[in-house]
Amino acid sequence: MSTVLILLLAVAAVLIFWVISVQNKLVKSDELCNNALKQINVQQVSRYDALQALVKLTREYASYESETLQKVIAERKITASPSPTPAEIDANETALKEISAKLIAIAEQYPDLKANQNYQQTMQSIEKYEENVRLARMTFNDTVTKFNNEVRMFPGSVVASILGFAKRDYLAEDVTKKDYPVI
């Protein structure tokens, strides 16, 4: 009788340690997802700041267009959220692309603005931030894939459902990129 009890206690202990291990792995993966999402938000805010600097440069060349841009930017305020959601990140991205497109269109109308060294440096920094956002989005979606695998695969899925871990959403893919011509 005591051997059976010892065996049952050993099995229970192994099971408890396994559940704790799975829970810790899920928490770690969840936190990596949260961190990756926040990194995207940080890059978007940096890009927004660079766009603001570009608006100030534009003001010197074209006050009417600058006022229009200020209105667009005021309507599409990009902020660093402490806990951004994929939907908020996607909305920020759409707003930033709209602002960028308007700035580029204005610059095309003013060759002196395009030739300005500050304008060129700011555009380069915006391009750098756009690349950083693209890479951060890829990192987030990769991290979510790993997390979702842990949440959905048996036997970890049992522990995940008991502890309330659910599948996370991916960031939406950029459908405008599909419209680009293939060379």
Side-chain angles (χ1 to χ4, degrees), residues 54 99-109 114 119 123:
L54 207 54
I99 295 167
S100 292
K102 288 186 185 294
L103 277 167
I104 290 168
I106 289 170
E108 292 297 324
Q109 297 172 14
K114 278 179 62 176
Y119 173 85
M123 282 303 292

Side-chain angles (χ1 to χ4, degrees), residues 19 21 24 26 31 33 36 52 67 75 77 88 103 115 124-125 136-137 151 160 166-167 173 180:
V19 168
S21 172
N24 287 341
L26 288 166
E31 285 303 313
C33 290
Q52 288 280 44
E67 291 170 16
E75 292 172 6
K77 185 72 174 157
E88 290 171 333
L103 277 167
Q124 287 173 352
S125 70
R137 287 174 68 91
V151 167
K167 186 177 167 209
E173 68 177 285
Y180 292 162

Side-chain angles (χ1 to χ4, degrees), residues 18-159:
W18 175 78
V19 168
I20 291 170
S21 172
V22 170
Q23 188 269 347
N24 287 341
K25 188 175 181 181
L26 288 166
V27 168
K28 182 179 176 182
S29 292
D30 189 48
E31 285 303 313
L32 287 172
C33 290
N34 291 337
N35 181 47
L37 203 55
K38 289 176 185 176
Q39 293 302 321
I40 297 169
N41 197 221
V42 167
Q43 294 300 325
Q44 285 179 328
V45 170
S46 297
R47 189 168 73 184
Y48 180 77
D49 292 343
L51 287 168
Q52 288 280 44
L54 207 54
V55 168
K56 289 177 185 171
L57 280 171
T58 305
R59 187 177 300 134
E60 297 172 15
Y61 290 86
S63 62
Y64 169 75
E65 283 87 348
S66 147
E67 291 170 16
T68 304
L69 284 171
Q70 286 289 59
K71 288 178 187 174
V72 169
I73 288 174
E75 292 172 6
R76 312 244 187 308
K77 185 72 174 157
I78 308 298
T79 58
S81 173
S83 300
T85 65
E88 290 171 333
I89 293 293
D90 285 336
N92 282 352
E93 194 62 23
T94 300
L96 286 166
K97 286 182 180 184
E98 181 181 336
I99 295 167
S100 292
K102 288 186 185 294
L103 277 167
I104 290 168
I106 289 170
E108 292 297 324
Q109 297 172 14
Y110 295 90
D112 290 345
L113 174 60
K114 278 179 62 176
N116 180 298
Q117 184 176 1
N118 288 338
Y119 173 85
Q120 292 172 356
Q121 288 173 341
T122 305
M123 282 303 292
Q124 287 173 352
S125 70
I126 289 170
E127 289 171 12
K128 180 187 85 173
Y129 291 127
E130 286 176 358
E131 179 65 11
N132 290 349
V133 168
R134 186 184 71 76
L135 293 173
R137 287 174 68 91
M138 287 173 37
T139 300
F140 174 76
N141 281 341
D142 288 346
T143 306
V144 166
T145 298
K146 291 173 187 170
F147 176 78
N148 287 346
N149 285 338
E150 291 171 10
V151 167
R152 295 179 62 212
M153 293 174 70
F154 185 80
S157 61
V158 175
V159 176

